[in-house]
Amino acid sequence: MPNELLSISKNIRENEDMSKHTTFKAGGRARMFAEPESDEELAKIIKYCKENKLRYYIIGNGSDLLVSDKGYEGLILSTLKLKKIRLLEDNIVEAHAGTLMRRLALFLLENELTGFEFASGIPGTVGGAVFMNAGAYDGEMKDILLGVKVLEEDLSVNYLSAKELELSYRYSNVEEKNRVILSARIKLAKGEYAKIKEKMDDFDFRRRDKQPLDLPSAGSTFKRPEGHFAGKLISDAGLMGYSIGDAQVSDKHAGFVVNKGKASASEIFELICHIQKEVYDKFGVKLEREVKLLGEF
């Protein structure tokens, strides 16, 4: 471990098992793993990586990520220690990028702010949700997002409006602009505790009823193809319950690939590719992964 890195942060480890940091519970090891405790610490680690040509990758809760069994020959930066929430004026809330969506939802419930209920069960972080314009139950982050504080590629800090992120279905321009989300501001409305909780409970029940929340997964494996639903196409292709090793198309919701126990990242990836091929061969529809791949597959 380079002494210069250790002087920047005390929260850096070597040879970290990435199955502990993804909701798939699969994958190899990262050469180094860092958990900065401030935006400044995050920026200093990235600066070190850039100056020393060390590959790095930023994750939140790892809820939309599949890491190769061969691991990652670089440094993984986790934002999970960056989780402050601030209540501002006019029902505006600022949340650090590493804030878990569930934690933010409970904060908003306690403060009787409505408009975030759709996102209360999304198993990721605020940064990840903005990054991919996450959504559920006819709501998306772009509906409530005012703007974000970002670390630009040149390491300057900038505030961008939601419009500047060019948000659309499961897309923002953050990745192609090489930006890092530090925090986000959302605009909500004053509501009533009981009504907000009732809505959250309803969405929670619907998730538990229809989704395989008892097994490791990355949520919806594929984006919704135009004019179709991925889960229905996969089910109609006869793939519900289909397995490769311990990687399985959920027999509860075909849009989910789940880890039945000890699935490797290779098995999960092979199953994803098999689903794409079968659906295309049968229906001529190309399923696009929602899950991101890290490392060599």
Side-chain angles (χ1 to χ4, degrees):
M1 177 78 69
N3 289 332
E4 192 178 344
L5 259 182
L6 288 173
S7 70
I8 294 172
S9 173
K10 65 185 182 197
N11 299 309
I12 300 182
R13 303 186 291 277
E14 291 183 295
N15 201 31
E16 184 75 4
D17 182 356
M18 288 305 297
S19 69
K20 297 177 181 177
H21 301 284
T22 68
T23 56
F24 261 134
K25 303 300 180 190
R29 295 177 178 272
R31 179 180 159 198
M32 286 183 278
F33 184 87
E35 295 177 294
E37 295 184 348
S38 68
D39 293 346
E40 293 74 24
E41 199 173 298
L42 174 72
K44 286 178 181 178
I45 294 171
I46 292 176
K47 183 173 185 286
Y48 173 89
C49 291
K50 286 178 177 288
E51 290 176 348
N52 291 274
K53 295 182 171 52
L54 176 64
R55 292 171 65 202
Y56 67 92
Y57 191 85
I58 297 168
I59 68 169
N61 198 41
S63 57
D64 219 5
L65 182 66
L66 183 62
V67 180
S68 168
D69 294 322
K70 297 175 183 177
Y72 180 72
E73 192 55 35
L75 185 146
I76 299 286
L77 272 160
S78 167
T79 63
L80 287 183
K81 288 185 180 292
L82 307 176
K83 55 185 180 181
K84 292 178 183 175
I85 305 173
R86 289 198 305 152
L87 180 59
L88 307 177
E89 296 178 345
D90 300 321
N91 303 323
I92 295 170
V93 172
E94 182 177 68
H96 237 143
T99 308
L100 290 172
M101 297 288 275
R102 187 65 180 182
R103 179 170 174 263
L104 178 55
L106 293 174
F107 175 90
L108 298 174
L109 172 63
E110 291 299 323
N111 286 277
E112 298 188 305
L113 292 173
T114 184
F116 194 78
E117 293 90 337
F118 75 90
S120 61
I122 293 175
T125 59
V126 168
V130 172
F131 182 92
M132 66 174 295
N133 185 31
Y137 301 111
D138 298 323
E140 292 181 301
M141 287 302 292
K142 70 180 181 65
D143 301 332
I144 55 172
L145 187 68
L146 283 180
V148 291
K149 184 167 74 168
V150 299
L151 188 70
E152 299 281 8
E153 188 173 15
D154 64 1
L155 301 180
S156 63
V157 176
N158 195 12
Y159 184 84
L160 303 172
S161 69
K163 186 177 180 180
E164 290 175 283
L165 297 179
E166 302 175 301
L167 299 171
S168 60
Y169 176 68
R170 301 298 178 267
Y171 171 81
S172 76
N173 63 19
V174 170
E175 184 172 25
E176 61 193 57
K177 301 281 188 182
N178 292 314
R179 290 166 168 152
V180 179
I181 297 167
L182 300 175
S183 62
R185 289 188 178 187
I186 54 176
K187 173 72 172 177
L188 302 152
K190 202 65 183 171
E192 297 177 26
Y193 184 97
K195 289 183 178 179
I196 297 168
K197 189 171 189 308
E198 182 182 9
K199 200 169 185 180
M200 286 172 60
D201 288 346
D202 176 52
F203 288 154
D204 285 347
F205 172 79
R206 286 157 69 179
R207 280 190 175 91
R208 289 194 303 271
D209 185 52
K210 295 180 180 178
Q211 299 178 7
L213 303 182
D214 57 325
L215 292 171
S217 78
S220 297
T221 309
F222 303 99
K223 296 180 181 180
R224 186 178 65 241
E226 190 172 350
H228 300 276
F229 291 99
K232 186 175 188 313
L233 288 169
I234 296 164
S235 179
D236 289 348
L239 293 172
M240 184 171 273
Y242 183 88
S243 297
I244 294 178
D246 269 356
Q248 181 188 49
V249 177
S250 169
D251 52 16
K252 188 172 186 179
H253 188 314
F256 286 62
V257 168
V258 297
N259 182 348
K260 292 190 297 180
K262 296 182 179 179
S264 66
S266 297
E267 288 171 341
I268 294 169
F269 178 64
E270 186 180 346
L271 180 55
I272 288 171
C273 293
H274 179 74
I275 294 166
Q276 289 173 311
K277 181 181 184 304
E278 289 294 302
V279 167
Y280 184 75
D281 287 349
K282 285 182 169 63
F283 307 112
V285 178
K286 291 184 178 180
L287 291 180
E288 184 181 351
R289 276 185 290 101
E290 195 166 294
V291 175
K292 289 193 169 290
L293 304 178
L294 182 61
E296 186 181 332
F297 284 90

